[in-house]
Amino acid sequence: MRSSPFARRLTFAAMALSCVAAVMVWGELSVEALVVIGTAGTAVVVVALVRQSGRTAPPVGRRGLPWLALVTAAVSWELVTLADDQLPTASDLADPFLAEPLLRGAATVCWLAVGAWLLDRPRRRPQR
């Protein structure tokens, strides 16, 4: 059963606003904010998995190489920072930016929008 695009967007907006409010009020590392975001994220993943159950995953091909390079660079950076205490982690670099509640809320909206796009993006390019 497929829901309408409007219903999906409305649901996403409601979940996003609750996550943004939790992050802005309690801070990104508080137990309350993590519970709200974890619950919303789990609900989104469960719905996406149910909608896609029974389908086979399309082959990724070369389109996945930039993503692989990005993930490899991020994991490598974090591993290097574990070995050398003088290097800042990605979260250390983001802390000054995310200290302001308004910017933290905006970053949460962007993070959620990217996640929603990844879940709902078109699977194949239209044929010409």
Side-chain angles (χ1 to χ4, degrees):
M1 179 168 133
R2 297 224 11 123
S3 60
S4 71
F6 176 74
R8 286 194 308 258
R9 287 187 182 105
L10 187 62
T11 303
F12 169 75
M15 293 176 83
L17 287 176
S18 68
C19 291
V20 169
V23 167
M24 289 179 69
V25 170
W26 291 307
E28 71 276 4
L29 293 179
S30 68
V31 172
E32 295 88 356
L34 292 175
V35 167
V36 170
I37 292 171
T39 303
T42 301
V44 168
V45 168
V46 167
V47 168
L49 288 174
V50 167
R51 284 180 57 210
Q52 296 176 6
S53 65
R55 295 186 203 164
T56 59
V60 175
R62 285 187 235 171
R63 293 180 306 152
L65 289 178
W67 290 104
L68 178 62
L70 180 66
V71 168
T72 302
V75 169
S76 298
W77 176 260
E78 292 298 320
L79 289 175
V80 167
T81 60
L82 282 174
D84 185 0
D85 288 336
Q86 300 301 318
L87 293 174
T89 62
S91 60
D92 290 337
L93 295 172
D95 279 345
F97 174 75
L98 297 175
E100 179 68 33
L102 187 61
L103 293 176
R104 189 170 48 237
T108 304
V109 168
C110 291
W111 178 69
L112 291 169
V114 168
W117 175 78
L118 286 171
L119 288 173
D120 205 34
R121 70 187 188 278
R123 299 293 179 220
R124 299 223 166 134
R125 293 185 182 172
Q127 300 290 330
R128 292 183 193 209

